[in-house]
């Protein structure tokens, strides 16, 4: 509970941490405490001259004058001013020194905001005591301050194994969990209920031995708190004798040293672990002094070199390291600074004279004012041999990498930015074949992502593939057409992940330009299909008229009827027409490579004349010039004209007109049913009794050879309209 103080309270708070000063000020002002701040003791003394304050709150560790020196300076001019030492440096020495110097209160900094409420309470209590007890003598005030602010408790007890307490004060509750009244009433006995059972006999005997010598006693033991916690306590006390020499009581001080004991135990455990690590280490470990004499060596050091420990401790560094001499050791001693860790390549010599390469790491130790050097060494014979082999492999790899005909590339996988973004892929290296494929040099590519090196479509395709590899962590192979600065290419690529600790860190890729191969495959496939088609035609379509001719010829011979020979002639004409169409189909199927500027209107007019269409009408509604093979374009239009006359009748009107990316040929006939529009371009398909079924197939082949497309739709008059698209105009 905070004290009720009459009138305003002003505090001078001195601390070298500005942020801490601001935070403490905020909390103290919530308790109606006005705060004046200073960041060092000298500034605090100046503030005392300028401001009238009721209390001083000071840190201990500050630059220049520390908290206790500041307290002494304050006491010179303000001997009665309350002074609270609020510090993060908490131990018995500081507390004792502070109390001796006349500190009003002692509070150790803690974590959290509760400490400021405690500080405010201490300040208000100190000010209240100062204002209400100024009439008290200096001796009484100092005694009360001492009792209330010791980092522990003071006591007076009887010299009995239970050590019943007559008086206790200080941090009794904090230390034991019991209040002072519990001890003073006798409901809790220090020797029987607080001291750990295993330590009671030793503690009693230690005190009795000191009393027997009429000396103060000092001891440590474990205590059990009211909550069942185990703590370590340090006690210092003395016997109180009356004038007759009889022992009346014991008086002393008890404080919590749990942290100090645990720290010492931790150090002891660390030391034991360190000794075990050094002795069991697979590395050779030795310590030598600044003159090079070996003063400590572990088991591995002795075994590797073939010496006993006694022999090793009689040697110098240059007796072990064939590359070292006394001058080198002196130079190393002068060049190695604090916290340096030096790596040394050495040649160690065994007791039998054999040697091996070693890698040593050396650091300097400052032991009791003397310099010693700790050296960790390792036999690296296997590593040296591996390095040689790796160098040979690397040289071979670089040769293959530079001269490979396939494009080779390596990408670094950079993790996302931690805000939900996707990983990025950065080109690390690429070989000359990659530049030939893409048109981007290795220097231009290095350090860039696919989206920075290529267009959006290409970057999107490859980054999508790379993303799938991150998920599966498996090699992926693909073949697709990509657009590069060097031009479009069909690329066959295989990309493999490099997985480290379960994460893909790099991607290694091999790519090959398969554009020409794919073109040849398409050509071969087209030729194969054409040959199969020709075989079908020869085996089926030509066989029927041939059988007809042979049959009528046989009948004419048997009946001596020349009239039958007309049927033979018709069959021969049928075969001639089929053969011409087949030859045209074979000739027109190859890819067009020689394009020229062709006036579409002229061609449309020129090819109308060969068509037997005396009653038909041609309308040419175009003035464009297209890039095409003129002879083949003539064949396309002529076949489309013939198809219109054959299927729409002799009075048909045929129109040639423009499209945005090509042209069309339309008629005003009955049209083509929707379910037949895809079949009409197939070889041998015809609805005409006299047709061969190859006219529109030839159209399709020539259009494809140009790289165009052809599709049949309904014309504006309900007839057939053939639309040719993908045409380039001059």
């Amino acid at each position: 509970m905070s004290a009720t103080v009459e009138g305003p309270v002003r505090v001078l708070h001195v601390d070298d941490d500005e942020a801490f000063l601001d935070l403490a000020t905020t909390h103290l002002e919530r308790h109606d405490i006005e705060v004046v701040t200073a960041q060092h003791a000298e500034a605090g003394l100046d503030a005392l001259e300028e401001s009238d304050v009721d209390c001083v709150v000071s840190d201990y560790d500050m630059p220049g004058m520390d908290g206790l020196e500041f307290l002494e300076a304050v006491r010179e001019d303000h001997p009665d001013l309350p002074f609270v030492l609020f510090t993060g440096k908490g131990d018995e020495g500081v507390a004792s020194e502070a109390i001796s110097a006349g500190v009003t209160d002692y509070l150790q900094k803690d974590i959290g905001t509760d400490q400021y409420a405690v500080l405010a309470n201490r300040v208000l209590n100190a000010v209240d005591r100062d204002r209400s007890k100024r009439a008290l003598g200096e001796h009484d005030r100092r005694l009360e301050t001492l009792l209330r602010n010791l980092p522990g408790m003071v006591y007076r007890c009887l010299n009995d194994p239970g050590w019943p307490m007559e008086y206790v004060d200080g941090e009794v509750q904090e230390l034991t969990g019991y209040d002072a009244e519990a001890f003073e009433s006798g409901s809790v006995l220090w020797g029987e209920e607080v001291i750990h059972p295993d330590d009671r006999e030793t503690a009693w005997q230690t005190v009795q031995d000191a009393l027997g010598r009429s000396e103060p006693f000092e001891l440590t033991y474990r205590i059990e708190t009211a909550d069942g916690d185990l703590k370590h306590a340090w006690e210092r006390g003395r016997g109180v004798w009356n004038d007759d020499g009889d022992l009346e009581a014991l008086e002393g001080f008890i404080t919590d040293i749990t942290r100090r004991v645990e720290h010492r135990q931790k150090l002891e455990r660390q030391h034991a672990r360190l000794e075990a690590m050094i002795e069991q280490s697979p590395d050779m470990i030795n310590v030598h002094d600044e003159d090079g004499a070996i003063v400590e060596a572990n088991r591995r050091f002795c075994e590797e070199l073939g010496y006993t420990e006694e022999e090793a401790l009689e040697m110098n560094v240059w007796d072990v390291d064939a590359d070292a001499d006394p001058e080198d050791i002196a130079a190393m001693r002068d060049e190695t600074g604090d916290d340096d860790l030096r790596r040394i390549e050495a040649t160690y010599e065994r007791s039998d004279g054999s040697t091996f390469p070693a890698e040593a790491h050396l650091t300097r130790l400052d032991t009791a004012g003397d310099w010693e050097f700790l050296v960790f060494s390792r036999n690296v014979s296997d590593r040296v041999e591996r390095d040689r082999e790796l160098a040979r492999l690397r040289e071979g790899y670089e040769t293959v990498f530079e001269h490979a005909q396939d494009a080779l590339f390596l990408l670094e996988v950079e993790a996302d930015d931690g805000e939900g973004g996707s990983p990025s892929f950065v080109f690390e290296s690429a070989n000359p074949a990659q530049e030939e494929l893409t048109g981007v040099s290795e220097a231009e590519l290095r350090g860039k992502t696919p989206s920075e090196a290529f267009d959006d479509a290409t970057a999107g395709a490859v980054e999508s593939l790379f993303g799938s590899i991150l998920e599966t962590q498996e090699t992926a192979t693909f073949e697709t057409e990509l657009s590069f600065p060097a031009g479009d290419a069909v690329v066959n690529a295989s990309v493999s992940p490099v997985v480290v600790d379960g994460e893909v860190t790099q991607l290694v890729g091999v790519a090959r330009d398969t554009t020409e191969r794919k073109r040849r495959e398409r050509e071969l496939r087209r030729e194969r299909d054409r040959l199969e088609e020709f075989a079908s035609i020869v085996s089926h379509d030509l066989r029927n008229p041939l059988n007809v001719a042979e049959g009528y010829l046989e009948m004419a011979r048997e009946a001596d009827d020349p009239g039958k020979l007309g049927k033979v002639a018709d069959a021969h004409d049928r075969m001639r027409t089929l053969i011409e169409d087949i030859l045209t189909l074979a000739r027109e199927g190859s890819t067009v490579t020689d394009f020229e500027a062709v006036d579409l209107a002229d061609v449309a007019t020129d090819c109308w004349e060969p068509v037997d269409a005396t009653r038909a009408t041609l309308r040419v509604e175009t003035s464009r010039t297209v890039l095409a093979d003129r002879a083949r374009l003539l064949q396309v239009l002529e076949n489309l004209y013939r198809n219109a006359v054959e299927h729409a009748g002799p009075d048909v009107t045929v129109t040639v007109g423009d499209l945005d990316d090509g042209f069309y040929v339309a008629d005003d006939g009955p049209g083509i049913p929707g379910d037949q529009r895809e079949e009409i371009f197939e070889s041998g398909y015809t609805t005409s009794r006299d047709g061969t079924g190859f006219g529109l197939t030839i159209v399709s082949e020539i259009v494809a050879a140009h790289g165009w497309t052809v599709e049949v739709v309904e014309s504006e008059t309900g007839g057939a309209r053939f639309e040719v698209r993908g045409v380039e105009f001059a």
Side-chain angles (χ1 to χ4, degrees):
M1 177 179 292
S2 299
T4 301
V5 181
E6 295 292 335
V9 175
R10 174 179 288 186
V11 170
L12 170 63
H13 190 181
V14 182
D15 197 299
D16 61 341
D17 188 332
E18 184 178 359
F20 185 82
L21 278 176
D22 292 340
L23 184 61
T25 298
T26 300
H27 284 277
L28 290 175
E29 287 176 348
R30 293 176 181 175
H31 294 270
D32 298 323
I33 299 175
E34 183 182 351
V35 181
V36 178
T37 61
Q39 288 188 248
H40 53 81
E42 288 79 4
L45 293 174
D46 293 338
L48 281 177
E49 296 297 322
E50 299 170 2
S51 303
D52 183 19
V53 300
D54 300 293
C55 181
V56 176
V57 176
S58 174
D59 192 11
Y60 175 81
D61 281 330
M62 294 185 294
M65 188 184 300
D66 65 23
L68 295 183
E69 293 170 339
F70 176 46
L71 172 63
E72 292 178 1
V74 170
R75 285 287 177 257
E76 289 179 5
D77 296 323
H78 307 276
D80 299 320
L81 183 64
F83 191 107
V84 177
L85 192 63
F86 186 33
T87 177
K89 184 177 180 65
D91 57 38
E92 300 86 10
V94 173
S96 178
E97 213 175 335
I99 292 169
S100 299
V103 69
T104 306
D105 210 334
Y106 176 93
L107 180 62
Q108 188 170 341
K109 292 178 181 178
D110 201 350
I111 298 173
T113 58
D114 291 342
Q115 60 179 325
Y116 303 109
V118 175
L119 175 62
N121 188 47
R122 296 287 182 91
V123 168
L124 293 174
N125 283 333
V127 172
D128 183 55
R129 288 195 303 270
D130 179 66
R131 292 178 179 180
S132 62
K133 296 182 180 180
R134 288 182 182 178
L136 295 176
E138 181 67 16
H139 175 76
D140 291 340
R141 191 187 65 80
R142 287 184 177 272
L143 179 59
E144 181 182 357
T145 300
L146 174 64
L147 293 178
R148 290 189 178 276
N149 293 284
L150 282 173
M153 57 176 275
V154 294
Y155 69 88
R156 178 184 176 93
C157 71
L158 299 178
N159 186 32
D160 181 85
W163 282 332
M165 298 292 181
E166 295 181 342
Y167 168 79
V168 292
D169 203 351
E171 297 181 347
V172 181
Q173 185 82 30
E174 292 87 341
L175 178 63
T176 68
Y178 300 103
D179 57 24
E181 196 275 333
F183 289 106
E184 292 175 348
S185 67
S187 60
V188 177
L189 294 177
W190 188 269
E192 294 180 359
E193 297 173 70
V194 178
I195 298 179
H196 192 279
D198 294 340
D199 296 344
R200 291 170 187 168
E201 183 176 348
T202 302
W204 172 260
Q205 192 59 49
T206 301
V207 171
Q208 302 314 306
D209 291 344
L211 293 174
R213 297 189 299 271
S214 298
E215 295 177 354
F217 52 84
E218 183 176 320
L219 65 157
T220 60
Y221 47 81
R222 291 168 294 173
I223 65 172
E224 291 180 329
T225 69
D227 296 331
D229 295 333
L230 190 67
K231 292 183 178 181
H232 293 268
W234 174 80
E235 179 179 349
R236 181 177 179 84
R238 62 181 181 84
V240 178
W241 284 268
N242 59 24
D243 295 339
D244 297 330
D246 296 326
L247 180 64
E248 290 187 345
L250 305 179
E251 293 180 346
F253 171 75
I254 303 172
T255 188
D256 184 356
I257 60 167
T258 303
R259 290 187 179 181
R260 186 176 69 185
V261 171
E262 290 177 346
H263 180 66
R264 184 184 70 246
Q265 292 173 343
K266 180 180 178 181
L267 290 178
E268 290 173 350
R269 289 193 297 271
Q270 289 176 340
H271 180 72
R273 286 196 297 267
L274 182 60
E275 283 190 340
M277 289 170 59
I278 290 176
E279 196 59 29
Q280 303 300 325
S281 172
D283 289 335
M284 297 174 285
I285 302 175
N286 75 89
V287 178
H288 63 81
D289 63 19
E290 57 184 310
D291 296 323
I294 297 174
V295 297
E296 190 172 343
N298 74 336
R299 180 174 57 84
R300 182 64 179 168
F301 182 89
C302 298
E303 290 177 351
E304 186 73 45
L305 295 172
Y307 296 106
T308 65
E309 184 178 358
E310 291 75 15
E311 291 171 333
L313 298 183
E314 294 177 357
M315 302 174 71
N316 295 307
V317 173
W318 50 85
D319 297 325
V320 174
D321 185 355
D323 298 333
D325 56 35
E327 289 74 17
D328 294 330
I329 301 304
M332 176 272 300
R333 175 192 62 207
D334 297 336
E335 295 170 1
T336 304
D338 294 337
D339 300 323
D340 283 353
L341 181 63
R342 302 187 60 183
R343 179 180 175 277
I344 302 169
E345 297 288 345
T347 302
Y348 279 8
E349 183 175 351
R350 298 186 179 93
S351 60
D352 61 7
S354 62
T355 61
F356 59 89
E359 179 184 80
H361 290 84
L362 176 144
T363 188
R364 192 178 75 187
L365 306 175
D366 188 358
T367 55
D370 295 326
W371 284 355
E372 291 184 336
F373 297 87
L374 175 64
V375 184
F376 293 82
S377 307
R378 180 170 295 182
N379 186 336
V380 293
S381 301
D382 292 342
R383 193 192 71 190
V384 169
E385 183 56 36
R386 286 197 303 272
D387 289 345
R388 292 195 186 105
E389 181 62 23
L390 286 174
R392 289 193 294 270
L393 292 173
R394 186 179 299 110
E395 184 178 354
Y397 157 76
E398 291 174 352
T399 300
V400 171
F401 187 80
E402 290 297 319
H403 296 89
Q405 294 183 346
D406 291 336
L408 305 177
F409 54 89
L410 176 66
L411 297 108
E412 192 79 20
V413 179
E414 296 184 351
D416 60 57
D417 55 11
E419 298 180 358
S422 300
S424 57
F425 308 96
V426 180
F427 285 101
E428 189 173 316
S429 62
N431 70 337
Q434 177 278 144
E435 179 178 355
E436 183 178 349
L437 172 64
T438 65
V440 182
S441 69
E442 196 268 348
E444 295 173 318
L445 194 64
R446 189 186 311 116
K448 292 183 178 179
T449 63
S451 59
E452 294 170 337
F454 308 118
D455 64 26
D456 293 343
T458 297
V462 298
E463 287 185 339
S464 176
L465 172 76
F466 297 161
S468 66
I469 295 174
L470 290 186
E471 295 179 3
T472 63
Q473 297 191 357
E474 295 180 354
T475 298
T477 301
F478 70 96
E479 186 170 66
T480 187
E481 185 172 355
L482 298 175
S483 178
F484 297 119
D488 295 346
V490 178
V491 177
N492 183 288
S494 179
V495 183
S496 300
V498 177
V499 182
V500 178
D501 294 333
E503 297 290 334
V504 177
T505 60
Q506 293 176 311
L507 298 177
V508 181
V510 181
R512 177 175 297 178
D513 186 351
T514 58
T515 306
E516 183 61 25
R517 190 194 74 191
K518 298 301 290 185
R519 187 192 65 77
R520 289 197 303 271
E521 287 178 356
R522 288 193 296 269
E523 287 294 325
L524 289 173
R525 189 159 47 248
R526 227 174 5 249
E527 293 300 324
R528 182 195 65 200
D529 294 343
R530 189 174 293 111
L531 287 173
E532 291 177 354
E533 188 176 15
F534 291 165
S536 173
I537 294 168
V538 170
S539 65
H540 181 269
D541 293 9
L542 289 178
R543 183 174 294 152
N544 287 341
L546 181 60
N547 288 337
V548 171
E550 289 177 346
Y552 279 109
L553 182 59
E554 184 66 28
M555 291 171 62
R557 286 174 178 169
E558 291 176 354
D560 193 16
D561 182 5
K564 300 292 186 183
L565 296 178
K567 298 290 187 180
V568 176
D570 290 342
H572 285 166
D573 288 342
R574 175 70 173 169
M575 285 189 287
R576 185 180 302 108
T577 301
L578 284 169
I579 290 171
E580 288 176 355
D581 282 351
I582 292 170
L583 291 175
T584 299
L585 188 61
R587 180 175 61 253
E588 302 301 344
S590 58
T591 302
V592 174
T593 56
D594 297 326
F595 288 85
E596 60 178 311
V598 179
D599 188 300
L600 184 57
D602 288 346
V603 174
T605 303
D606 291 347
C607 62
W608 180 255
E609 185 176 348
V611 179
D612 184 13
T614 56
R615 293 161 53 189
T617 302
L618 174 66
R619 292 179 181 174
V620 179
E621 299 176 353
T622 179
S623 59
R624 285 184 169 177
T625 300
V626 300
L627 296 176
D629 183 318
R630 191 176 193 281
R632 294 187 180 186
L633 182 56
L634 280 167
Q635 185 71 56
V636 168
L637 294 174
E638 184 178 329
N639 283 19
L640 291 175
Y641 293 164
R642 292 183 189 279
N643 181 76
V645 172
E646 289 177 5
H647 294 86
D651 298 324
V652 68
T653 296
V654 179
T655 304
V656 179
D658 291 331
L659 297 172
D660 291 342
D661 58 345
F663 59 90
Y664 67 85
V665 177
D667 63 53
D668 58 356
I672 301 173
D675 58 353
Q676 297 179 15
R677 290 175 184 173
E678 293 185 4
E679 300 176 5
I680 62 174
F681 295 106
E682 297 178 1
S683 298
Y685 179 86
T686 180
T687 59
S688 173
R689 179 173 169 275
D690 298 324
T692 63
F694 293 110
L696 293 182
T697 303
I698 292 171
V699 170
S700 177
E701 289 287 338
I702 295 175
V703 167
H706 279 80
W708 305 338
T709 63
V710 61
E711 181 182 11
V712 63
V713 298
E714 185 177 321
S715 71
E716 294 179 355
T717 59
R721 169 165 153 162
F722 291 86
E723 295 184 344
V724 179
R725 296 185 180 274
V727 179
E728 292 189 30
F729 301 102

